[in-house]
Each structure stands twice: as structure tokens, then as C-alpha cells.
């Protein structure tokens, strides 16, 4: 799993490449938590190069959303592929998360 | 009809071996990408469960997987020699719960049931046997 972190329009964009599953969820959680500890409160996760996500990955999204909410920040997710969107839909995360079609839309108004 | 079988240890390396075998099979059988994505999720959920919880005494174990396309259906069989565990007995989580009330457990098995068209479990001797079926036809 590659994480590419960039600053864009006052927000932190993290692009994830590969899969977010039980083998790497803990590591990804640590790296995202480290970003929050640095005081980054506006986070966009760009999933355009994410192949698939499992429940272990959903836990990372849930924990990150809760942490950011507690600090007055916000998590947005953008550009999920069909497989990732289906998992969001089934799990109810579609309504739990703020999901946008593109990175530009996710950054708009954040 | 394309068919592939793989045997692996009950370790993270073994799980990688099974998922790699599926990737090769999916390529050969030219499975649709949405089906590949669904199966990758299902394999991670089920096999990580087996490795994590299936062998509480820590002993070595074996996982077997078979992938086959028959009459427009992908059929997957997963067998392990861990403790008896029927994932279908688990209650479904409340997927409409508010953020604060979201439980952490139970979601993985629920995803498996929803992503596949059919999931059957049986305990055969000292083995857990899961049979999963997914239609390769586009839903109408």
C-alpha cells in the first residue's frame, strides 16, 4: 500500500494505491493518525487508485471520521472504483461518509 | 471450464498465496473487474478470520481453495482444518446505525454474504468447508 500525501487548497490529500485490507489496515491507520497528530484536520482520501477495500479498511475510515469529528475536522473520500463503491453501499458507509466523485469536488468547500 | 486449486499454510504468507492464485485464475478466466474486486474482499475477510481465530492453540494448519467457472457462475470452495466456525450464524450488523453507535465487529461476514449470491457452510469431519457462488452475469 502506497500513501501519497499532498497539501492542496488548505486540505491534506492522501492518495492510496493498492488495496486496503487486513494485511495493511493497521499500518495505514497509524500513518493517518500521525497526520492528524500533526494538526491536519481537513483530510481527503483519494481512492482513484485503490483496487478494493475490506471491513478492516472500513474500520480505518470509521475511526478516522470519529477522530476528526472530535477535533472539529472533517474527512472526505473521493473517486472510489465500482468495487469500493459497492462495499460502501452494502455497509451503509455511503451515507456515513462524505463521498465525492472527484478530488476537485471533495476539495470544494472543505 | 477454467479451474484452479491451491493449498497454503494458515499464515499471512499462506493467505497471500491463495489471493495470488485467485488473481492468476481471474486473469485466465477473464472475470469481470467488479467480480474480482468482490472476491478479493471476500477472501480477505474469510481467510484473515481463519488465520486469526481458527487456530487458538496455535498449531499449524492448512487452507485449501478452489476456483471454478461453471455455467456462468464463479464457484469458490474454501476448506480449513481450524476450529468449527460457521460464519453464517453471525447476526447481521445494523448498517443504518449512526456513526457513534457503529459496532466494529460483524461487518466482514456481512460483506461476504452480500457480495456473493450464495454462501453455504458445512463442517465435514475436522474441516470447515465454505462454498461460495457468484453469478458472472450483469444484474438486470
Amino acid at each position: 500500500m502506497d500513501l501519497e500525501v499532498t497539501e492542496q487548497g488548505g486540505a491534506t490529500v492522501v492518495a492510496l494505491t493498492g488495496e486496503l485490507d487486513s494485511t495493511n489496515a493497521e499500518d495505514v491507520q497509524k500513518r493517518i493518525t500521525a497526520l492528524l497528530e500533526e494538526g491536519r484536520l481537513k483530510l481527503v482520501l483519494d481512492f482513484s487508485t485503490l483496487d478494493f477495500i475490506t471491513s478492516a479498511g472500513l474500520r480505518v475510515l470509521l475511526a478516522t471520521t470519529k477522530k476528526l469529528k472530535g477535533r472539529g475536522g472533517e474527512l472526505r473520500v473521493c473517486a472510489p472504483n465500482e468495487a469500493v463503491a459497492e462495499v460502501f453501499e452494502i455497509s451503509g458507509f455511503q451515507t456515513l461518509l462524505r463521498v465525492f466523485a472527484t478530488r476537485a469536488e471533495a476539495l470544494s468547500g472543505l | 471450464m477454467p479451474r484452479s486449486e491451491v493449498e497454503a499454510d494458515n499464515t499471512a504468507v499462506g493467505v497471500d498465496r491463495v489471493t495470488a492464485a485467485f488473481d492468476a485464475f481471474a486473469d485466465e478466466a477473464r472475470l469481470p473487474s467488479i467480480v474480482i474486486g468482490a472476491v478479493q474482499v471476500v477472501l480477505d475477510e474469510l481467510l484473515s478470520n481463519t488465520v486469526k481465530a481458527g487456530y487458538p492453540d496455535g498449531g499449524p494448519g492448512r487452507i485449501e481453495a478452489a476456483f471454478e467457472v461453471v455455467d456462468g457462475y464463479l464457484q469458490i470452495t474454501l476448506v480449513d482444518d481450524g476450529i468449527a466456525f460457521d460464519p453464517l450464524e453471525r447476526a447481521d450488523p445494523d448498517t443504518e446505525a449512526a456513526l457513534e453507535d457503529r459496532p466494529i465487529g460483524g461487518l466482514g461476514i456481512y460483506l461476504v454474504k452480500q457480495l456473493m449470491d450464495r454462501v453455504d457452510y458445512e463442517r465435514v469431519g475436522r474441516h470447515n468447508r465454505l462454498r461460495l457462488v457468484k453469478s458472472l452475469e450483469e444484474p438486470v
Side-chain angles (χ1 to χ4, degrees), chain A residues 94-108:
Chain A
Q94 189 67 36
T95 49
L96 209 63
L97 294 171
R98 300 206 63 191
V99 184
F100 297 82
T102 65
R103 184 188 287 204
E105 286 172 52
L107 285 166
S108 172

Side-chain angles (χ1 to χ4, degrees), chain B residues 12-135:
Chain B
V13 174
V15 173
D16 282 348
R17 193 173 145 81
V18 175
T19 51
F22 172 72
D23 289 345
F25 172 80
D27 203 33
E28 186 202 329
R30 300 183 179 193
L31 300 182
S33 62
I34 186 72
V35 172
I36 296 174
V39 174
Q40 284 166 328
V41 172
V42 164
L43 290 178
D44 183 66
E45 303 295 357
L46 293 173
L47 298 178
S48 67
N49 253 358
T50 301
V51 169
K52 206 162 42 185
Y55 301 85
D57 297 332
R62 294 295 282 171
I63 298 168
E64 296 166 35
F67 311 104
E68 189 171 18
V69 173
V70 179
D71 296 336
Y73 288 89
L74 171 65
Q75 300 184 356
I76 302 170
T77 309
L78 296 176
V79 177
D80 69 74
D81 54 3
I83 55 169
F85 174 65
D86 179 358
L88 305 179
E89 281 182 348
R90 194 156 187 169
D92 290 341
D94 179 3
T95 55
E96 289 175 9
L99 186 61
E100 292 73 18
D101 306 326
R102 275 300 173 120
I104 288 300
L107 199 51
I109 298 298
Y110 181 70
L111 287 178
V112 171
K113 289 197 273 187
Q114 295 297 315
L115 288 169
M116 295 291 112
D117 293 317
R118 185 169 176 163
V119 184
D120 292 304
Y121 170 84
E122 43 173 356
R123 181 77 178 172
V124 184
R126 296 176 52 180
H127 293 88
N128 295 303
R129 184 187 168 93
L130 273 172
R131 195 156 170 275
L132 306 111
V133 178
K134 173 87 174 166
S135 170

Side-chain angles (χ1 to χ4, degrees), chain A residues 33-105:
Chain A
T33 301
L35 293 174
L36 306 191
E37 299 297 332
E38 289 170 11
R40 301 171 200 242
L41 297 178
K42 295 177 180 178
L43 205 60
V44 173
L45 299 183
D46 187 330
F47 282 177
S48 54
T49 51
L50 186 72
D51 295 331
F52 66 90
I53 188 167
T54 72
S55 64
L58 293 179
R59 283 183 200 119
V60 173
L61 301 185
L62 185 60
T64 304
T65 301
K66 283 183 176 176
K67 277 182 188 150
L68 277 170
K69 211 175 169 188
R71 298 169 193 212
E74 188 179 338
L75 174 72
R76 293 184 175 189
V77 173
C78 70
N81 71 13
E82 209 182 349
V84 174
E86 188 179 15
V87 166
F88 283 167
E89 188 74 35
I90 292 169
S91 60
F93 273 58
Q94 189 67 36
T95 49
L96 209 63
L97 294 171
R98 300 206 63 191
V99 184
F100 297 82
T102 65
R103 184 188 287 204
E105 286 172 52

